[in-house]
Amino acid sequence: MVKQRYIQALFEEYMEIFPAVGIVGPRQVGKTTLVKNLSWGKNKIYLDLEKASDRAKLSDVELFFTNHQDSTVILDEIQLMPELFEELRSSIDEDRRPGRFILLGSASPDLIRSSADSLAGRIGYIELTPFTMKEILIEEMERLWMRGGYPLSFLASTERVSNLWRENFIKTYIERDLGLLGLNTDPKLVERFWMMLAHVQGSLWNGDNFARALGVTRPTVSRYLEFLEGSFMVRILQPYHRNVKKRLVKSPKVYIRDTGLLHALAGVKSYDELINQLLIGASWETFVIEQVINLLGSDYQYYFYRTHQGAECDLLLVKSGKVEWAIEIKNTLSPKISKGFLISMEDTKAANGAVISRVKEGYPLKGGVRNYSLLEFCEDIKKKYNETEGN
């Protein structure tokens, strides 16, 4: 079963604009399937840079690009050959027709250091995430939360198959993929690090604690975190501090982005097990944050807010320097607004306040705040954004 991906239209638009289009995202998220199903008029030449036979075809890169100038050349796992970026730049500068190259990568452009400078102004990047709410049926949302959005996990025939896939994905990622990205270290240490992150999901980052527990240095754990973020496994949410004259928490929060992987790392194999775990609150918070950010993308900037006096807000949506939404996330059917949340709205001068909980239908709360279901909030905010853009 192949689902239509939400970036399909944007991808095809980019192919009409940029000489090179980069699709980045974690492994096994469907990048290769997306480009192979591309309805693009040119011939397509596909090279998998994990294969020695395909890498050998690029022994003379300039000649290869010249011989296939009228085709769209797809380079999969481009992070394995970052030296190609200089040749790509030269080839594009000689012929800037759109749609000449598609680069697929399992690491962010920042992690593929050389691409940022070499292809500046010549490439448009798009991130392909695991499945989101936009790509599933309403009745599948609980499954998306439990299994996560990786296609082979979400679409698995049974819970056992989904669990086995995620467990093996994690094992392969730790033992092989991180090394291919350049993190050459003991896989057992990285596995412990990742499991420790799962058990403090959504907490403030304390690198010193991690370093002591693992018996390594603070720079080492910071490097682990950098690679997990750069390969789309981890989200680092920064604290909001603009124009607030209070003692604020300065450490970021860290989340394992996909809740299916989070549950696998924590040993949670079913929804019935999840509801009896302390992890459930952090898991729901993660799920909501990822769905909101994936829906809105670069339309907003994203932060959390916390003071040493106890004012706290799980997610701030900031646009043009102004806090448009302050959001509290509650894993309950009958949420109550905390005093700390109302103070955070006042501190940040938030234009709107929302609680996103497990309810099916929203209703107003005190202080102009509304209690939303996740689906209702996503639909409401997108509607308001479209109305604003239309004026």
Side-chain angles (χ1 to χ4, degrees):
M1 177 181 179
V2 177
K3 282 181 174 282
Q4 177 80 12
R5 300 311 306 269
Y6 70 97
I7 70 164
Q8 183 79 40
L10 180 63
F11 175 37
E12 295 186 4
E13 181 183 10
Y14 271 39
M15 290 290 289
E16 299 281 357
I17 299 171
F18 295 99
V21 177
I23 301 181
V24 294
R27 283 181 176 272
Q28 299 293 318
V29 80
K31 299 186 294 294
T32 304
T33 301
L34 177 71
V35 298
K36 285 186 174 179
N37 291 328
L38 173 67
S39 56
W40 182 248
K42 294 183 178 182
N43 295 324
K44 289 178 283 189
I45 307 295
Y46 174 82
L47 297 181
D48 182 353
L49 300 184
E50 287 192 305
K51 292 183 177 179
S53 57
D54 281 357
R55 291 197 302 273
K57 296 175 184 177
L58 296 171
S59 56
D60 189 331
V61 180
E62 183 179 2
L63 179 62
F64 183 88
F65 288 167
T66 300
N67 288 343
H68 297 93
Q69 198 162 359
D70 294 328
S71 301
T72 295
V73 177
I74 302 167
L75 300 172
D76 202 349
E77 301 299 352
I78 187 66
Q79 73 278 353
L80 299 180
M81 294 186 69
E83 64 272 17
L84 290 178
F85 285 107
E86 280 298 327
E87 291 292 344
L88 284 163
R89 178 187 59 77
S90 298
S91 182
I92 289 170
D93 285 347
E94 291 174 2
D95 181 358
R96 299 183 70 92
R97 285 176 299 162
R100 289 192 58 208
F101 298 98
I102 300 174
L103 312 182
L104 308 182
S106 300
S108 69
D110 288 338
L111 199 58
I112 310 172
R113 301 293 186 189
S114 58
S115 67
D117 295 329
S118 299
L119 296 183
R122 304 169 182 87
I123 188 168
Y125 279 108
I126 305 172
E127 182 182 342
L128 182 62
T129 69
F131 286 145
T132 68
M133 286 175 53
K134 297 182 274 190
E135 300 167 304
I136 65 167
L137 303 174
I138 295 174
E139 57 267 27
E140 294 175 319
M141 193 168 81
E142 186 176 291
R143 176 168 28 133
L144 182 66
W145 177 22
M146 184 61 220
R147 294 185 178 185
Y150 283 84
L152 293 177
S153 174
F154 177 78
L155 297 172
S157 56
T158 66
E159 288 295 336
R160 174 170 171 75
V161 172
S162 175
N163 280 310
L164 287 172
W165 185 89
R166 280 177 276 141
E167 289 168 5
N168 281 276
F169 175 89
I170 291 167
K171 181 179 177 64
T172 302
Y173 181 83
I174 290 171
E175 294 181 353
R176 175 180 175 275
D177 294 345
L178 278 175
L180 292 174
L181 289 174
L183 184 62
N184 298 312
T185 189
D186 183 353
K188 292 182 180 178
L189 276 178
V190 179
E191 181 179 18
R192 286 177 59 199
F193 176 75
W194 212 0
M195 293 185 71
M196 286 171 62
L197 283 178
H199 285 93
V200 294
Q201 178 80 347
S203 298
L204 296 177
W205 169 247
N206 189 321
D208 290 332
N209 285 351
F210 274 79
R212 280 194 296 271
L214 293 171
V216 298
T217 64
R218 172 68 180 266
T220 297
V221 294
S222 295
R223 182 169 167 77
Y224 292 171
L225 190 65
E226 176 189 357
F227 269 82
L228 288 174
E229 181 188 27
S231 56
F232 308 100
M233 295 292 110
V234 161
R235 183 176 300 283
I236 299 176
L237 193 64
Q238 297 293 339
Y240 182 82
H241 53 78
R242 298 178 188 175
N243 303 319
V244 178
K245 296 179 180 179
K246 290 190 174 183
R247 290 182 63 234
L248 304 177
V249 167
K250 296 181 180 180
S251 298
K253 284 185 175 183
V254 179
Y255 298 86
I256 294 170
R257 290 176 59 166
D258 183 78
T259 50
L261 296 185
L262 170 66
H263 299 152
L265 286 162
V268 178
K269 297 184 180 297
S270 68
Y271 181 73
D272 288 339
E273 290 184 20
L274 179 62
I275 60 177
N276 294 313
Q277 295 272 342
L278 291 175
L279 179 69
I280 189 170
S283 174
W284 174 247
E285 181 178 325
T286 303
F287 184 69
V288 170
I289 288 172
E290 285 301 307
Q291 296 307 313
V292 170
I293 292 178
N294 288 334
L295 172 73
L296 300 176
S298 60
D299 294 343
Y300 293 87
Q301 294 174 300
Y302 307 95
Y303 303 90
F304 74 95
Y305 181 79
R306 184 182 294 183
T307 71
H308 288 285
Q309 292 76 30
E312 184 174 2
C313 174
D314 296 320
L315 184 64
L316 294 177
L317 309 187
V318 179
K319 190 177 181 67
S320 301
K322 297 181 180 179
V323 177
E324 296 291 337
W325 287 89
I327 302 169
E328 188 164 23
I329 302 168
K330 297 283 191 181
N331 176 47
T332 179
L333 295 175
S334 54
K336 296 180 181 179
I337 301 177
S338 66
K339 181 180 179 181
F341 177 66
L342 294 175
I343 292 173
S344 73
M345 286 188 62
E346 182 179 347
D347 289 349
T348 61
K349 299 180 173 56
N352 302 281
V355 174
I356 300 179
S357 68
R358 299 284 303 285
V359 296
K360 292 185 177 180
E361 294 184 5
Y363 52 85
L365 299 169
K366 65 180 181 180
V369 177
R370 181 175 178 81
N371 180 28
Y372 286 91
S373 71
L374 176 56
L375 179 62
E376 180 189 10
F377 178 80
C378 290
E379 291 175 342
D380 191 40
I381 195 170
K382 202 64 179 175
K383 179 181 177 182
K384 288 181 179 179
Y385 175 76
N386 290 336
E387 289 173 351
T388 301
E389 291 296 294
N391 290 335

